Amino acid sequence: QEQVRKSMLTLGKQQPDRVLAMCQDYLLKHPKVKLQKTLKADLCFYVKSTPWVRTIISLASDEMTRSKEVIPDWQKAASNILVAVGNKHINDIMEEILSKFQPGLLPHFFVVQTLANLSDSNVYGMVPFLNAILGTMLPMLSMAKQDNIKWVFSSALCHFSDSILEYLANLDKAPDPTVRKDTFSSEIYAAFDILFNNWLQSRESKLRLTVAEAVGSMCHLMASDKLEEQIPKLIPAILSLYKKNNEHYVISKSLCQILDASVSMGSRVLETQLDSLLFALHQQVSAPVDYSNPPTVKNHNEVLRSFSLLANSFPDRLVMFVLQKLENSNERSRMGSLAVLRHLINSSTSTMESKKLLILASIRQPMADHGNKVKKRVVQVISAMAHHGYLELEGGELLVRFIVQHCALPDTYQKPTDPEEVTNEALRTICDNTLHLLTTTVGRLADVLWPKLLYYLTPSQYSNATTPLCKSLIVLGNKKKNNQDLCTFVCSLVCLGVFQVNAAFPFSSRGHGAPSLSLLLILSINIHPNTEILWEKEIPPLLSIFLYRCVGVTLQQCFNKELAKKQLQEILLTARHNDAVEREGVAMSVGLCANSHLEGTLAKLEEFGKSDAFKKSPSIFNLLKERNDVEVEKVKSTLILCYGQVALNAPPEKILTRIDQDILRCISKHFNTKDLTMKLSLIQSVGLIARAITECVKKQGFVFSRKQELITVMLDFIKAEAADSLRTPVRHLVMTTCANLMYPSSSINLFITQVHTKAWYPCVLAPEVLSFPSVLSLTVSNMVSFHNLGALLGRLTPRCSDPHPTVRTAAMDCIYSLLYIQLRYEGFALNYKDEGVDSLLLLKDRLDKPDHTVLYKTCSDLTKVMSKRLPQQQLTTLVFMLFEGLVDSQANCCRASSVILNTLLKNRGGGLQELWQWDRRY
């Protein structure tokens, strides 16, 4: 039926006359059919021809009044048709309706109802008729005996009054702008007299409410003197209805209209009713509001509007009344007062301006309340106060502290049994949102909140508020940053310590890690002007590595082997292999997984190595885009790093047999690569394997036979590098890797000799110098043949005055280790301490100073210590190496070579003469 109705309506919009003719013909033949009434009401909007309009009006009017009894469904449908037609053809409708609205006779219920609805739907068409209608209606009121007739008259009078008021409020749009309120005042007052003095006392609740609603609307149209005369009786009568009716919305609406009319005319007697008004209104505003029940919400709003109206006329008495109620021990009373206070702050700005300090002082009382319901209302009041300039006043900081305190509330972990209960979590969320709202929408609060909110980040009692505090401070900090008005250096340093702790436990205190770091970035400019640039480069890689580590640890704890393998495949397939950081992260994740799932991890890596990822043809892996050689090399680099991390993280007792047969077998096929990325990955991976082997040696005495082979491969990588410049990090990584491979090893002399070839200029030795301490320290605990000490010292000592401080320090560490190696070779115990050699550690502190005089004095003192410990047969080699240092590319190192030679010849020159004479003799 509904589909048919819609179809006919669609047709009727195009040809309303034809469809209406069909409907009318059908209704005449089937008078009991009711469905088509709604269809006709819809189509009446589209009717244009006058004959059809009159036909429809006549048919609907007859149907509506045929039975004297009220038949709501049928007669209401006919009434709706008349109202629909009346929106465009008001004169034709009124001609028909007024013919059935004759003086001296009670009209049909739906005749009055139709007039009421017409006044709603067509204000400008109906108001010109209302004066005559009211004149005819007045005698009928005294004739009405039945409650339903009284109800429809009362409802009509309410609608008529509302229509007149809307018409008067929009005279610029009205067809007759000469219409005035006094046109209707006498008739309205006469009707008011009957409704108020007779019908309002009815026992029927529905009628009482409708009369009250009508009385409220009619007050605006009454003459001022008449209304003033009625106020002492009218207000008590309306207030008494609260006790007689369960539904209060209509009563509050009527009361609000009465007060509006009274205040608008400047009533003098209204003040005599103030006490009873405030008492009744406060009871209403303190009643619970059920937001699932719209009438209770509407009632609450009407009561608040009444308070606003009274505040305009009696601000002092009203504010004092509300503030006194804040001290009431009853919770609902305090909540009601706070609701009124919030509304007054928002709606009566000018009236409340002089009351700001008083309100600020009084709000402290409910702030001390223990109940979350009251605290929630306090937060709402503070929010209103913030938008109207209260927080900038003295004492405003206490309100900010109150919000922050309740952003830090702990969880209650209890499900509320009372639907009105406010849990800690709910109150905390409200405070979080309020703090954010104040930060983002109240611009003038920036100076109140910044930097004071920063001070709440350090006390432990506010730790749970760190997240919302940081989010607000980020917004404020960005504004201040643009104005170059950030906080002091000291404050930034204090926050730095707090944020470092927060970042270490990122998920504590409601996830304070990320917001803390974001705020730290804002403040970083106070710590150092270049911090922000460094942050942007360093933090994203750290975060990426961190997340991959989290995934790896999770897989490590996962007992489901198939799930672990599935996740490994997901990681390997979706990784951005062109990103060096992501390659490192993927490898770390895979390695951690191997700690618990070694077999599955190695199987997955083997499978991945044979997949389409390593083919140049189109494949699903690369979304059907052809892959070039560079991309394939990046994927291979990821796989190589994965094998290194697997070796490092897998259990030592399980990995030993797999290093040769699985790991090195898979990565050794790439040893001849010329691709830099793969080369670096191979060096790193071999270094990780070497560390794993070292652990196995320490725990199980395992002997690794391919160590020399790997060292040779690493040295070949170094030889392939340009000798005159540092273009890649290969040499430095090789040194670190070889340091790991050399535990324990007798091949360190071979390694050092190959590293320090004459083809390398001293200026490119910086990475090797920095790596030497770790390499040389391995030999301190191992007795090996050590015949090239003089050559090594000759290379290293000039670097103690290198322009780079880190190179200077590393060179001194190397010399220190070399001299202790020599002492071990001479037979001294491992724990033996030489006073002269240990003094080098004190000399190292001087190397931080770039002053040339200090550096050369340090080199001289260093030579004195070195000359005492150097064997006679190593002296000549040392001298010749220092001769080469005289042409070092770094001027500082040339001068150092000269100083060292000078000091050495003074201290050991005699021995050199004897040695040369011996050499010449043989």
Side-chain angles (χ1 to χ4, degrees):
Q1 288 178 341
E2 181 62 18
Q3 292 301 320
V4 170
R5 189 190 73 81
K6 288 181 178 179
S7 298
M8 292 179 67
L9 179 58
T10 302
L11 292 170
K13 290 177 182 178
Q14 304 300 322
Q15 298 186 49
D17 289 350
R18 291 185 63 183
V19 175
L20 279 172
M22 178 271 297
C23 290
Q24 180 172 331
D25 183 60
Y26 189 86
L27 282 171
L28 291 173
K29 293 177 182 178
H30 304 83
K32 294 184 179 180
V33 174
K34 302 177 183 179
L35 177 65
Q36 301 300 330
K37 289 294 185 178
T38 56
L39 175 64
K40 291 193 65 172
D42 291 333
L43 289 180
C44 287
F45 286 104
Y46 305 98
V47 176
K48 296 180 180 178
S49 60
T50 304
W52 267 110
V53 170
R54 290 175 179 170
T55 302
I56 293 168
I57 292 172
S58 176
L59 177 62
S61 178
D62 288 344
E63 291 291 333
M64 184 177 71
T65 58
R66 180 179 299 164
S67 172
K68 292 183 179 181
E69 296 180 7
V70 177
I71 308 173
D73 290 346
W74 180 249
Q75 293 167 345
K76 184 178 181 181
S79 176
N80 288 343
I81 291 176
L82 294 174
V83 173
V85 175
N87 284 323
K88 287 190 175 182
H89 307 280
I90 188 65
N91 291 329
D92 293 314
I93 285 290
M94 292 310 295
E95 182 180 345
E96 173 65 27
I97 293 297
L98 291 179
S99 68
K100 298 183 178 182
F101 191 75
Q102 296 295 320
L105 297 173
L106 278 177
H108 192 283
F109 177 95
F110 270 102
V111 168
V112 182
Q113 183 75 67
T114 302
L115 289 173
N117 291 338
L118 276 169
S119 69
D120 271 349
S121 64
N122 189 354
V123 172
Y124 296 120
M126 273 294 289
V127 168
F129 290 97
L130 287 182
N131 201 30
I133 291 173
L134 286 170
T136 303
M137 181 183 286
L138 282 175
M140 297 176 180
L141 298 180
S142 57
M143 298 166 58
K145 304 301 180 183
Q146 295 179 338
D147 283 348
N148 69 327
I149 298 299
K150 291 179 181 179
W151 180 92
V152 78
F153 276 131
S154 300
S155 176
L157 285 167
C158 181
H159 286 292
F160 294 162
S161 299
D162 290 342
S163 298
I164 294 168
L165 290 172
E166 185 177 344
Y167 190 99
L168 294 173
N170 298 280
L171 281 176
D172 55 329
K173 301 177 184 178
D176 182 5
T178 62
V179 175
R180 295 287 180 265
K181 184 175 77 169
D182 54 15
T183 305
F184 309 95
S185 294
S186 58
E187 286 79 5
I188 288 293
Y189 179 71
F192 169 87
D193 185 54
I194 294 173
L195 266 65
F196 176 65
N197 290 311
N198 296 310
W199 295 0
L200 190 61
Q201 283 72 41
S202 171
R203 295 181 180 180
E204 176 57 46
S205 174
K206 183 179 178 181
L207 176 58
R208 285 199 306 268
L209 291 177
T210 305
V211 171
E213 187 175 16
V215 165
S217 296
M218 294 163 74
C219 282
H220 282 281
L221 298 174
M222 291 167 58
S224 298
D225 58 333
K226 296 293 185 181
L227 178 60
E228 183 81 343
E229 179 184 321
Q230 293 296 325
I231 286 175
K233 296 184 293 181
L234 179 57
I235 288 178
I238 296 297
L239 293 179
S240 67
L241 293 177
Y242 280 125
K243 297 179 180 178
K244 300 176 182 178
N245 297 273
N246 293 327
E247 296 182 11
H248 294 164
Y249 161 59
V250 172
I251 302 168
S252 297
K253 179 184 175 184
S254 175
L255 182 60
C256 187
Q257 290 176 311
I258 294 168
L259 292 176
D260 191 10
S262 304
V263 169
S264 298
M265 73 167 191
S267 170
R268 296 180 179 180
V269 299
L270 183 59
E271 187 173 4
T272 62
Q273 305 297 316
L274 192 58
D275 288 341
S276 58
L277 272 170
L278 292 177
F279 179 78
L281 288 171
H282 194 273
Q283 279 190 323
Q284 288 297 309
V285 83
S286 300
V289 179
D290 182 0
Y291 289 95
S292 63
N293 184 10
T296 65
V297 179
K298 292 179 180 179
N299 180 65
H300 187 76
N301 293 336
E302 290 296 331
V303 172
L304 291 175
R305 282 188 59 214
S306 297
F307 274 109
S308 293
L309 292 168
L310 293 173
N312 293 332
S313 297
F314 315 104
D316 294 336
R317 285 186 62 182
L318 177 58
V319 170
M320 289 306 299
F321 172 82
V322 173
L323 296 182
Q324 285 173 0
K325 289 291 185 180
L326 281 179
E327 301 175 4
N328 196 305
S329 60
N330 183 275
E331 183 180 70
R332 291 202 182 281
S333 177
R334 295 196 301 279
M335 291 172 63
S337 297
L338 289 167
V340 175
L341 195 57
R342 175 195 182 195
H343 183 74
L344 293 178
I345 291 169
N346 282 328
S347 63
S348 308
T349 306
S350 57
T351 305
M352 305 299 288
E353 187 67 32
S354 61
K355 311 289 188 301
K356 282 185 175 181
L357 291 176
L358 176 61
I359 293 173
L360 262 174
S362 302
I363 197 68
R364 296 185 186 183
Q365 175 82 19
M367 282 170 62
D369 203 289
H370 297 294
N372 282 355
K373 292 180 187 178
V374 175
K375 288 179 179 179
K376 176 182 175 180
R377 290 286 174 90
V378 171
V379 173
Q380 293 170 339
V381 173
I382 292 174
S383 178
M385 294 168 77
H387 284 81
H388 295 283
Y390 286 70
L391 268 60
E392 293 98 304
L393 303 176
E394 184 179 354
E397 67 277 3
L398 295 177
L399 307 187
V400 176
R401 183 191 298 172
F402 181 85
I403 297 292
V404 175
Q405 282 175 335
H406 292 86
C407 286
L409 283 175
D411 290 333
T412 53
Y413 300 109
Q414 291 180 355
K415 194 171 182 179
T417 53
D418 179 3
E420 292 184 50
E421 185 179 342
V422 179
T423 63
N424 276 8
E425 292 87 345
L427 180 58
R428 189 176 63 202
T429 300
I430 292 168
C431 291
D432 289 353
N433 294 337
T434 301
L435 187 60
H436 177 73
L437 187 69
L438 301 188
T439 305
T440 54
T441 62
V442 189
R444 61 176 177 270
L445 276 182
D447 292 332
V448 175
L449 300 176
W450 184 278
K452 291 181 181 177
L453 287 184
L454 284 167
Y455 304 145
Y456 294 108
L457 291 172
T458 48
S460 59
Q461 65 264 36
Y462 302 117
S463 60
N464 218 27
T466 302
T467 296
L469 279 170
C470 287
K471 289 179 179 178
S472 292
L473 284 164
I474 288 167
V475 175
L476 295 168
N478 277 319
K479 293 178 182 177
K480 293 292 182 178
K481 187 178 178 182
N482 294 335
N483 299 330
Q484 297 182 336
D485 185 26
L486 282 173
C487 61
T488 64
F489 174 72
V490 174
C491 187
S492 297
L493 285 183
V494 171
C495 291
L496 175 62
V498 174
F499 295 156
Q500 285 177 329
V501 173
N502 292 351
F505 304 94
F507 304 112
S508 299
S509 299
R510 301 199 287 150
H512 62 192
S516 296
L517 289 175
S518 298
L519 179 56
L520 182 58
L521 177 59
I522 301 294
L523 299 175
S524 62
I525 193 172
N526 279 350
I527 300 169
H528 194 282
N530 294 331
T531 308
E532 189 171 5
I533 300 171
L534 182 65
W535 186 293
E536 291 174 355
K537 292 181 179 178
E538 298 294 334
I539 295 298
L542 288 174
L543 181 59
S544 179
I545 293 292
F546 169 78
L547 292 175
Y548 273 113
R549 181 183 287 275
C550 287
V551 173
V553 171
T554 304
L555 292 176
Q556 193 180 86
Q557 302 299 319
C558 176
F559 295 106
N560 189 325
K561 296 183 182 298
E562 290 304 315
L563 177 62
K565 289 174 68 174
K566 182 179 179 181
Q567 292 304 313
L568 283 179
Q569 177 164 335
E570 185 75 15
I571 292 169
L572 291 167
L573 290 179
T574 59
R576 294 173 298 175
H577 297 276
N578 286 329
D579 186 331
V581 174
E582 193 137 346
R583 290 197 297 272
E584 294 273 357
V586 169
M588 182 181 294
S589 187
V590 171
L592 290 168
C593 179
N595 183 267
S596 301
H597 307 283
L598 179 59
E599 297 296 330
T601 302
L602 287 172
K604 182 53 64 178
L605 290 177
E606 181 88 16
E607 178 186 326
F608 181 65
K610 297 176 182 178
S611 69
D612 288 343
F614 297 89
K615 298 177 182 178
K616 299 176 186 177
S617 58
S619 67
I620 295 176
F621 177 80
N622 204 34
L623 301 178
L624 301 180
K625 294 180 181 178
E626 190 168 349
R627 184 182 301 104
N628 56 39
D629 292 340
V630 176
E631 290 173 328
V632 173
E633 301 306 319
K634 298 293 191 294
V635 180
K636 289 179 180 178
S637 299
T638 303
L639 184 61
I640 291 166
L641 288 173
C642 287
Y643 276 116
Q645 288 287 350
V646 168
L648 180 66
N649 288 282
E653 66 277 5
K654 293 183 179 180
I655 198 62
L656 284 178
T657 58
R658 313 307 294 268
I659 288 178
D660 241 354
Q661 68 186 40
D662 288 308
I663 295 177
L664 284 176
R665 175 179 59 81
C666 291
I667 70 171
S668 60
K669 64 181 72 171
H670 304 296
F671 281 164
N672 294 325
T673 183
K674 294 181 180 179
D675 181 78
L676 178 61
T677 303
M678 280 186 65
K679 194 179 289 187
L680 294 173
S681 297
L682 282 166
I683 297 168
Q684 287 178 261
S685 192
V686 170
L688 295 173
I689 294 169
R691 286 170 57 189
I693 293 169
T694 300
E695 290 301 314
C696 294
V697 170
K698 289 179 180 178
K699 293 181 179 178
Q700 304 178 29
F702 172 71
V703 178
F704 182 58
S705 59
R706 298 182 65 178
K707 183 180 299 184
Q708 190 62 49
E709 174 194 345
L710 295 179
I711 292 175
T712 303
V713 172
M714 295 297 104
L715 293 177
D716 287 342
F717 285 158
I718 287 183
K719 291 175 183 177
E721 291 292 292
D724 58 346
S725 63
L726 285 172
R727 296 175 184 169
T728 71
V730 167
R731 284 197 293 272
H732 181 74
L733 285 174
V734 166
M735 295 294 291
T736 304
T737 297
C738 288
N740 290 320
L741 282 168
M742 301 219 172
Y743 180 86
S745 175
S746 59
S747 55
I748 191 167
N749 289 323
L750 169 65
F751 171 68
I752 295 173
T753 302
Q754 292 190 30
V755 169
H756 290 279
T757 60
K758 292 184 179 180
W760 287 13
Y761 290 94
C763 67
V764 300
L765 289 178
E768 285 70 42
V769 173
L770 292 174
S771 300
F772 262 17
S774 57
V775 177
L776 297 177
S777 63
L778 295 173
T779 55
V780 175
S781 57
N782 300 283
M783 289 293 293
V784 295
S785 176
F786 200 54
H787 58 271
N788 55 356
L789 178 63
L792 291 172
L793 291 175
R795 292 286 189 190
L796 289 167
T797 48
R799 304 256 71 79
C800 290
S801 63
D802 192 275
H804 300 287
T806 52
V807 174
R808 296 198 296 267
T809 303
M812 183 66 83
D813 288 337
C814 290
I815 294 167
Y816 176 84
S817 295
L818 284 168
L819 294 178
Y820 262 112
I821 290 172
Q822 177 60 31
L823 287 170
R824 281 285 287 133
Y825 183 71
E826 292 175 7
F828 287 93
L830 183 62
N831 58 355
Y832 174 75
K833 293 295 181 182
D834 184 276
E835 185 177 347
V837 177
D838 284 344
S839 68
L840 295 182
L841 298 178
L842 300 175
L843 295 179
K844 189 169 71 169
D845 296 337
R846 302 184 196 168
L847 299 179
D848 292 334
K849 301 175 182 177
D851 183 81
H852 299 307
T853 306
V854 175
L855 291 178
Y856 300 149
K857 177 66 167 62
T858 303
C859 288
S860 177
D861 293 343
L862 162 65
T863 308
K864 292 174 183 178
V865 173
M866 188 172 62
S867 64
K868 291 180 181 180
R869 301 273 25 125
L870 190 70
Q872 187 71 27
Q873 62 270 27
Q874 298 281 345
L875 202 56
T876 305
T877 309
L878 173 59
V879 170
F880 281 111
M881 286 294 139
L882 290 171
F883 284 158
E884 290 186 20
L886 294 174
V887 292
D888 195 288
S889 61
Q890 297 290 342
N892 278 7
C893 296
C894 293
R895 297 188 189 99
S897 297
S898 175
V899 170
I900 295 166
L901 269 171
N902 194 328
T903 307
L904 187 64
L905 292 174
K906 285 181 180 179
N907 286 275
R908 299 284 295 272
L912 284 172
Q913 187 175 11
E914 294 173 3
L915 185 60
W916 287 339
Q917 289 174 350
W918 186 87
D919 285 343
R920 290 171 63 189
R921 190 180 309 122
Y922 294 99

